[in-house]
């Protein structure tokens, strides 16, 4: 089954589900949501799922959802910040006045 990203607002995180049946939590990106902004604070992939590109799928899924919801992104998490740096088409999600603070 293909990995999928899902928002778990009750846990304040996006999860990527993978495994044979597609229900195992392979990783997550924690966030804090407030008035039109989503601050990503920590991302983690279970070592058993490492090396499969799931971190990138998780970042893309979470950022695509933030874009669809019209949220500004504050990438405090080094992984999310680095991923945006490698995919400049996502830098527009970070408010222009705050990009320098994040090195974007």
């Amino acid at each position: 089954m293909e990995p999928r990203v899902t928002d778990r607002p009750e846990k304040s995180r996006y999860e990527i589900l993978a495994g044979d049946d597609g229900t195992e939590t392979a990783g997550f990106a924690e966030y804090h949501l407030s008035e039109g902004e989503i601050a990503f604070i920590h991302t983690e992939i279970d070592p058993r799922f490492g090396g499969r590109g799931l971190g990138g799928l998780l970042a893309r899924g979470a950022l695509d959802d933030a874009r669809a919801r019209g949220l500004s992104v504050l990438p405090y998490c080094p992984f999310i910040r680095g991923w945006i740096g490698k995919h400049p088409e996502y830098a527009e999600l970070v408010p222009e006045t705050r990009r320098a603070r994040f090195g974007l």
Side-chain angles (χ1 to χ4, degrees), residues 76-99:
Y76 292 104
C77 168
F79 181 82
I80 297 291
R81 185 171 54 248
W83 195 89
I84 292 172
K86 293 177 185 169
H87 300 87
E89 65 274 21
Y90 286 87
E92 68 187 27
L93 295 174
V94 180
E96 190 172 354
T97 58
R98 300 177 90 175
R99 289 179 196 158

Side-chain angles (χ1 to χ4, degrees), residues 3-51:
R4 62 188 169 89
V5 176
T6 185
D7 185 13
R8 298 288 305 271
E10 72 280 5
K11 292 185 174 184
S12 296
R13 70 187 202 178
Y14 286 90
E15 294 180 350
I16 187 159
L17 304 176
D20 293 336
D21 61 0
T23 62
E24 196 169 352
T25 302
F28 58 86
E30 293 178 335
Y31 63 80
H32 176 74
L33 188 61
S34 66
E35 301 183 25
E37 293 182 333
I38 186 166
F40 287 97
I41 52 177
H42 178 72
T43 302
E44 193 172 308
I45 296 294
D46 186 313
R48 296 177 299 126
F49 292 93

